Amino acid sequence: MDNTVEDAGGTPTLFELCARVVNANMDKLEEDVWGLPAVVLQGILPLLNIYYLERIEHAAVKKGLSTQSIWCKLWNDVMKSKPSRFGTVTCWRKKFLEAFFHNVLRGILDISSDQRLYDQRFSPLVHSSRHVSELTICNKQQGVTELPPVVLECLAKSVETLKFLHLRSSDQATLKSLKLLLHRLIHYGQVNKVSLLSWPSPDTKLLVLILSISAGFWQQQKNCPCTFCLKQTLNSSTELHPEKRLETNSLTTSVITDPINVQPRNIVEEDVGSQSALLSLQPLNITQNVGTDHSECSVEFPVHQVSKNTHAKNARCLKLSPTACGSKVASTSQNNLLSGSDIQDNFKSETDDLYDFIFSVPSTGEGKTLGIKNGHKEIAKEKPSEVSTVAFSDDLPPMEERSSRMLFFEGAHHFRSVTVLNLHNVHLTHSSCRSLCHLLRSWVSLEKLTMAYNDLGANIFLVVEALSALSRCPGCSLIMFSMGDFKTYVPTLDLAHTILTTFPSLQFLSLSYDLEFHNEKDETKHILPEFKENQLKHLEIRFPQDPLPTEHLISVLKASTFLLELSLDNATFICSEDLKNMLHILAEYNRALRRISFHDMKMMDVHNEIFLLLNSPCLEEIKFSFCRLFERGSEEFLPGFVDVLKRNPSIKTLKLCGNRLGNDGLAALADIYSEDSLSSVQYLDVSSNLIRPEGLLLFAKKLEQCRKIKLRHLSISQNLLDRDPVMAKEALQCLEGVCCVVSDNWDSAQAFADHVSVM
């Protein structure tokens, strides 16, 4: 009998009346309640507010009780949203309190309207902040100015990831508070990952501020002091936290000067939007011969230069302003923030601190033109003796960007910096990209760098040059580089060669973009040096539309003998023999592969090579997505495909979405769960495979005849199940007791009409 539920007439039970009195006097009875028997405590738990429910967690666990269902109900009642069906919530308490903190911080949750959320004896932000491992700051950074020091203390101990989403410009007070918040959480806290997401038109000052503090730089100013810097000088900080501090040396002094308004030596900047920005990129030192009638076009990475100036070892730190952090936040307040900012930007800089590419281009005084061919710059009708190094006249950035400066200048110190940086959908102008690159040059603690849809264009050359400089720094830690963009000027495998040559110990490489001004006829003749042996464990490449140079892909696969994961997307081969050769290389040189993914590739004529891959004893997951696998010769291929799966006990995940499997193919796949099968496939994805209800029902009936079924998850989305809803429902009911089925209400007729309309 559940004593916590009121009877049919609405009268509370005696137990519930007592429990309500206990709940109202928890400030006095808390320790006594913790000592109650488990059967009594179980009835009281649902009546407690979130503050005491969180505090009683330890006592409840010791008595064998779980509060997860209570926190889950709170989530459904308060947040009114459901987690992703593919996500697994390991702790509802943490999930609720982390979301609760963000909603209170932004003033979008009225806690006074629910007695479970309000208690005048507790601060909502202080109580929930200890559960915030990922702090999200969005829009105009609402609530940042109102964070009291006690909340910052809690956040510094719990937050490991900082996420910035849809940021907008804010007033000066908010910017100062944000600066102190970043300094506290990154330099003195536990934050090791910073993500900037969905910021298509970033405020340059705010962007540089976040990047600079993430890279470890901090400049004490009278109007923005820090109490933690007050407690110890820079020297004592280094002694107390040697593992969290980077020594202020020649590697760090070179990046704290002004990267925008100072004219650097031997630097060439180009209009990113013009064709003149197209340059050849090859590893480190490049000499591009363009014929006897043309001079050489070279790109060199100069030796790392450092300033002779050194930073002061001790900095005078000022007392914390009482208005910097604000007072206790009101739980339902909304912040009306003004736009604009006023950041100090007058400082000195040394030209010796700046360095960049050296481009050898023709003198413009003779009125010569530049030709573009195959993504490379060619010098029209110039002799080698007429080549000279020149600086472009459009070196100055647009007026709105000239006021943006690096916020950390002479006297800045290098504190603890983050190890993971993610820039997703953050548009990088030429000047902001330069600011990022000057930080990257000595960001030796950086382990993972992800850049996605930053509209880099020709700025990719700045990024690669900065990474090259970083690779020469002692203690460089980069093991992961991921770059996805709309279009850039470097052939994918050329960039892969440059990155792997620069970082031979890189473990994760992901490249995905289209190629600008690409000539596929010349690309097949492009000569690229052989890839050298590397330490790659994960390689992920999405190729442009044009046929790829197979010999280059084979070269990188041969050199990557430690690969555990491989993903190839949109790889177009000139002929099927090239694809067969690549698959043979995989089976011969990459025997440690555990996960393989092929997407949007024509693989209907490489059946024997697929069998070769499926025989691998290490393979755990394989994906053929929209590869037209069963389009041709499926009568002979399908039985062999099933047979090789039955003999391989290592494969646990099989994804075959979009391969025209059909009813017969799905029925054949049921045989991999027969009694004589060694298969361990637990996850099967057959979505988008023209499967009808009768085919799904036949598959379900065949599974019912199997004694030991290892299938745990079946995805059948975007099939033709709407053709007979009654039969489809019957099939799904048969599968309910076998595995978890992911389906949808896909309208196949409308989808076909949409497809025809865009043809």
Side-chain angles (χ1 to χ4, degrees):
M1 179 178 179
D2 186 1
N3 292 327
T4 65
V5 181
E6 296 181 5
D7 61 21
T11 303
T13 64
L14 178 61
F15 181 90
E16 185 174 2
L17 287 173
C18 295
R20 287 180 178 178
V21 174
V22 170
N23 182 40
N25 295 275
M26 278 294 291
D27 57 327
K28 301 176 182 178
L29 304 175
E30 183 175 359
E31 293 186 4
D32 295 330
V33 172
W34 289 0
L36 290 173
V39 64
V40 179
L41 188 60
Q42 186 174 19
I44 294 178
L45 289 178
L47 301 177
L48 298 178
N49 62 39
I50 61 172
Y51 308 101
Y52 286 112
L53 183 62
E54 192 270 341
R55 289 164 64 90
I56 209 171
E57 177 73 18
H58 181 68
V61 171
K62 287 182 65 176
K63 296 179 182 296
L65 302 177
S66 173
T67 62
Q68 291 298 299
S69 60
I70 304 174
W71 289 108
C72 181
K73 185 178 186 304
L74 277 166
W75 176 275
N76 294 329
D77 293 346
V78 177
M79 304 305 172
K80 295 181 172 58
S81 64
K82 294 183 179 180
S84 170
R85 60 183 178 182
F86 300 108
T88 301
V89 180
T90 58
C91 181
W92 281 103
R93 176 175 62 130
K94 182 184 185 306
K95 182 176 180 64
F96 176 85
L97 290 173
E98 190 167 23
F100 177 76
F101 175 88
H102 286 97
N103 288 337
V104 172
L105 180 67
R106 297 168 195 161
I108 59 177
L109 180 62
D110 183 6
I111 64 174
S112 62
S113 62
D114 192 328
Q115 62 178 4
R116 296 173 298 179
L117 308 179
Y118 177 75
D119 192 319
Q120 62 180 358
R121 292 164 290 192
F122 296 96
S123 165
L125 289 180
V126 173
H127 198 82
S128 57
S129 58
R130 70 193 73 176
H131 296 279
V132 180
S133 60
E134 180 177 286
L135 178 62
T136 301
I137 300 174
C138 57
N139 300 324
K140 289 190 175 184
Q141 307 99 62
Q142 284 89 339
V144 169
T145 57
E146 299 175 331
L147 284 175
V150 64
V151 174
L152 285 178
E153 283 294 313
C154 293
L155 292 176
K157 297 177 181 178
S158 63
V159 176
E160 297 178 353
T161 299
L162 271 175
K163 181 182 292 185
F164 296 91
L165 184 64
H166 307 302
L167 284 187
R168 297 169 60 190
S169 300
S170 58
D171 62 277
Q172 183 179 359
T174 302
L175 201 59
K176 291 178 182 178
S177 296
L178 178 63
K179 183 178 179 181
L180 283 171
L181 172 68
L182 295 175
H183 174 54
R184 178 66 183 97
L185 299 188
I186 296 176
H187 298 166
Y188 288 102
Q190 305 298 320
V191 171
N192 53 42
K193 178 180 179 180
V194 172
S195 295
L196 288 88
L197 311 173
S198 300
W199 199 8
S201 299
D203 180 307
T204 310
K205 290 182 178 180
L206 184 54
L207 174 62
V208 172
L209 170 68
I210 296 172
L211 291 176
S212 301
I213 295 183
S214 299
F217 288 104
W218 177 250
Q219 170 63 44
Q220 279 298 314
Q221 299 179 31
K222 293 182 180 181
N223 60 349
C224 198
C226 173
T227 53
F228 295 96
C229 295
L230 252 181
K231 296 177 182 178
Q232 51 192 1
T233 63
L234 183 61
N235 284 338
S236 61
S237 295
T238 308
E239 295 171 359
L240 292 175
H241 305 283
E243 74 285 354
K244 295 184 180 180
R245 299 284 301 258
L246 296 176
E247 182 181 0
T248 305
N249 53 24
S250 59
L251 295 178
T252 62
T253 57
S254 62
V255 297
I256 60 174
T257 54
D258 179 57
I260 297 176
N261 285 2
V262 177
Q263 284 284 357
R265 294 182 294 112
N266 297 329
I267 184 170
V268 174
E269 299 175 9
E270 305 191 20
D271 182 3
V272 179
S274 67
Q275 287 188 342
S276 63
L278 304 180
L279 296 172
S280 172
L281 174 66
Q282 295 183 22
L284 301 184
N285 292 310
I286 301 114
T287 300
Q288 177 66 36
N289 296 319
V290 293
T292 57
D293 295 333
H294 306 296
S295 62
E296 294 183 341
C297 177
S298 64
V299 179
E300 301 177 0
F301 294 127
V303 179
H304 189 78
Q305 301 174 359
V306 298
S307 173
K308 298 180 181 179
N309 295 333
T310 57
H311 300 309
K313 295 183 179 179
N314 300 299
R316 181 179 297 275
C317 300
L318 303 174
K319 294 183 178 180
L320 178 66
S321 171
T323 60
C325 290
S327 57
K328 184 177 179 180
V329 61
S331 59
T332 60
S333 65
Q334 284 279 11
N335 297 307
N336 297 320
L337 303 179
L338 302 176
S339 61
S341 59
D342 182 20
I343 302 299
Q344 180 178 350
D345 59 5
N346 295 321
F347 54 88
K348 299 178 181 179
S349 54
E350 295 288 338
T351 57
D352 287 344
D353 291 338
L354 299 177
Y355 43 87
D356 218 307
F357 291 116
I358 298 177
F359 294 130
S360 293
V361 297
S363 174
T364 57
E366 299 296 326
K368 304 299 181 179
T369 59
L370 295 177
I372 302 300
K373 185 179 182 182
N374 192 30
H376 303 302
K377 175 179 290 186
E378 294 186 282
I379 306 172
K381 299 181 180 180
E382 285 281 359
K383 298 180 181 180
S385 60
E386 297 174 342
V387 177
S388 62
T389 302
V390 297
F392 280 62
S393 60
D394 58 346
D395 181 58
L396 288 178
M399 181 62 67
E400 63 272 12
E401 296 180 358
R402 294 182 190 178
S403 60
S404 174
R405 311 277 208 280
M406 288 288 287
L407 299 180
F408 306 98
F409 44 95
E410 185 173 354
H413 304 294
H414 204 185
F415 284 74
R416 176 183 181 273
S417 55
V418 302
T419 59
V420 182
L421 178 63
N422 178 17
L423 302 174
H424 193 285
N425 192 24
V426 179
H427 176 70
L428 296 177
T429 63
H430 190 54
S431 61
S432 59
C433 187
R434 289 178 62 197
S435 299
L436 169 65
C437 290
H438 280 285
L439 294 169
L440 284 179
R441 291 175 184 276
S442 60
W443 201 329
V444 293
S445 69
L446 191 64
E447 298 177 2
K448 300 178 181 179
L449 174 61
T450 300
M451 302 182 68
Y453 303 105
N454 307 120
D455 202 13
L456 286 176
N459 287 330
I460 181 63
F461 299 105
L462 297 177
V463 175
V464 174
E465 194 277 334
L467 292 177
S468 177
L470 174 62
S471 69
R472 297 190 293 271
C473 294
C476 174
S477 307
L478 194 69
I479 59 172
M480 171 188 168
F481 178 64
S482 176
M483 197 207 79
D485 219 316
F486 304 103
K487 291 183 180 180
T488 188
Y489 304 110
V490 189
T492 311
L493 291 174
D494 284 36
L495 181 57
H497 189 279
T498 301
I499 295 296
L500 290 176
T501 302
T502 306
F503 297 94
S505 61
L506 200 72
Q507 297 183 15
F508 185 109
L509 177 62
S510 177
L511 301 175
S512 172
Y513 56 85
D514 290 327
L515 200 56
E516 187 73 75
F517 297 107
H518 180 222
N519 189 322
E520 61 182 63
K521 295 182 180 179
D522 289 339
E523 177 60 27
T524 58
K525 302 177 183 179
H526 177 54
I527 299 176
L528 188 70
E530 288 290 322
F531 283 81
K532 296 181 180 180
E533 185 175 351
N534 57 66
Q535 303 296 317
L536 267 186
K537 294 182 180 179
H538 185 123
L539 177 62
E540 181 178 320
I541 301 180
R542 183 185 69 82
F543 294 94
Q545 294 293 332
D546 303 318
L548 61 87
T550 310
E551 64 276 11
H552 298 171
L553 178 58
I554 288 177
S555 177
V556 69
L557 293 177
K558 285 183 177 180
S560 308
T561 56
F562 298 99
L563 269 185
L564 299 178
E565 300 183 37
L566 174 67
S567 176
L568 300 179
D569 186 352
N570 197 36
T572 305
F573 295 85
I574 298 176
C575 61
S576 61
E577 292 301 319
D578 287 346
L579 176 56
K580 290 180 180 179
N581 192 17
M582 187 272 292
L583 295 176
H584 273 286
I585 294 298
L586 271 183
E588 181 179 356
Y589 287 87
N590 307 107
R591 299 180 180 180
L593 276 171
R594 296 178 183 175
R595 285 171 286 277
I596 302 177
S597 174
F598 299 117
H599 176 73
D600 197 12
M601 295 168 57
K602 298 179 181 179
M603 306 186 72
M604 73 285 283
D605 296 323
V606 291
H607 295 164
N608 291 332
E609 288 70 25
I610 290 175
F611 295 158
L612 193 62
L613 280 182
L614 293 176
N615 276 318
S616 171
C618 295
L619 192 62
E620 298 177 0
E621 176 180 327
I622 190 163
K623 175 182 179 181
F624 299 97
S625 174
F626 295 91
C627 291
R628 302 165 68 174
L629 208 59
F630 306 102
E631 181 177 305
R632 195 177 298 167
S634 60
E635 296 81 5
E636 297 80 17
F637 172 60
L638 192 56
F641 184 78
V642 172
D643 187 58
V644 72
L645 286 172
K646 291 171 64 176
R647 298 196 307 268
N648 191 331
S650 66
I651 299 178
K652 296 179 174 58
T653 300
L654 178 63
K655 298 181 180 181
L656 300 171
C657 48
N659 284 283
R660 307 183 184 183
L661 186 63
N663 289 345
D664 295 337
L666 180 62
L669 286 182
D671 291 337
I672 66 177
Y673 300 103
S674 60
E675 293 185 5
D676 62 338
S677 174
L678 300 176
S679 174
S680 300
V681 174
Q682 300 177 4
Y683 183 105
L684 179 62
D685 185 352
V686 292
S687 55
S688 302
N689 266 294
L690 305 177
I691 298 171
R692 295 174 178 269
E694 58 269 24
L696 183 63
L697 182 59
L698 178 59
F699 176 76
K701 295 294 185 181
K702 293 186 68 173
L703 287 184
E704 285 183 338
Q705 300 174 4
C706 302
R707 293 183 179 180
K708 296 181 180 179
I709 303 177
K710 296 183 179 180
L711 182 63
R712 296 291 179 266
H713 188 107
L714 175 66
S715 179
I716 56 173
S717 302
Q718 296 187 358
N719 279 297
L720 308 177
L721 303 183
D722 60 331
R723 301 297 175 88
D724 191 338
V726 176
M727 185 177 293
K729 183 178 180 180
E730 181 184 355
L732 292 174
Q733 289 175 344
C734 291
L735 291 169
E736 281 182 358
V738 177
C739 60
C740 174
V741 181
V742 175
S743 184
D744 56 9
N745 297 320
W746 193 57
D747 189 338
S748 59
Q750 182 60 45
F752 179 76
D754 294 340
H755 174 71
V756 172
S757 66
V758 298
M759 290 181 63

